[in-house]
Amino acid sequence: MAATTWQKRVDAGDWDATTAEVNDFGGALLPRLLTLSETSKIRQLYPDDRVFRATIDMRRYRFGEGEYRYFERPYPEPIEELKQALYPRLLPIARDWWTKLGRKTPWPDSLDDWLDMCHAAGQTKSTAILLKYGKGDWNALHRDLYGELVFPLQVVINLSEPGVDHTGGEFLLVEQRPRAQSRGTATLLPHGHGFVFTTRDRPVQSTRGWSAAPVRHGVSAVRSGERLTLGLVFHDAA
């Protein structure tokens, strides 16, 4: 089967370098996955109630300030296509991490088979997210777990142009190292680029072997303008 446009874009990345970066820092920038016109089309979906199953007011739940919406299935293009292209690239990292931590690696080779496992366990709700932040909005540090079955990596794509559509709004990762202070990183995501990061925890090595370091993610305050992002989670929700 010929590679799709989305597969070609994903495969264009230096995955050895990406793997090393994720292993060292818990997150890594991916190549440009969406063009200017493609990001514009996804942003324009935000007011369309027909393509979403739920809307979350972050202030109401003390998640921060701003709003996000969960897409309903079937996903509009290219959400499913990107997930299908990214999953086999992320799978070796996920399996390596869980092996180091002495955990079973439940994820099959196929994303569809993995989602079937989620559905059989009662995790049937779609988890692709469109997030919208205006001036002063931010996202509190959190983890997107949704149930017992978890894929340890996820991807966010900036649908806006930093310095043009918005200022501020850096993507934040905070990692709690075993018996140490937390370590934080901040990344300003380029327009259309993906960023892969830790969903729950990841292995870190010490003199005692491998330990699980919990990781949370969030977004710093948007200083001006509007920032929209697409979140791709590789497990479904209960």
Side-chain angles (χ1 to χ4, degrees), residues 105-125:
T105 57
W107 314 288
D109 292 342
S110 161
L111 175 60
D112 290 338
D113 290 344
W114 165 238
L115 293 179
D116 284 345
M117 290 173 61
C118 290
H119 299 167
Q123 295 178 211
T124 59
K125 296 178 181 177

Side-chain angles (χ1 to χ4, degrees), residues 64-111:
E65 301 280 345
E67 188 178 84
Y68 59 88
R69 310 193 78 178
Y70 286 101
F71 281 100
E72 183 62 275
R73 289 193 184 89
Y75 292 137
E77 190 181 75
I79 293 173
E80 182 64 27
E81 292 83 356
L82 281 171
K83 288 181 67 174
Q84 292 287 346
L86 286 161
Y87 179 81
R89 288 293 188 173
L90 303 180
L91 184 59
I93 304 173
R95 287 173 171 168
D96 175 58
W97 282 8
W98 257 227
T99 298
K100 288 174 177 174
L101 293 173
R103 300 171 177 173
K104 293 182 179 180
T105 57
W107 314 288
D109 292 342
S110 161
L111 175 60

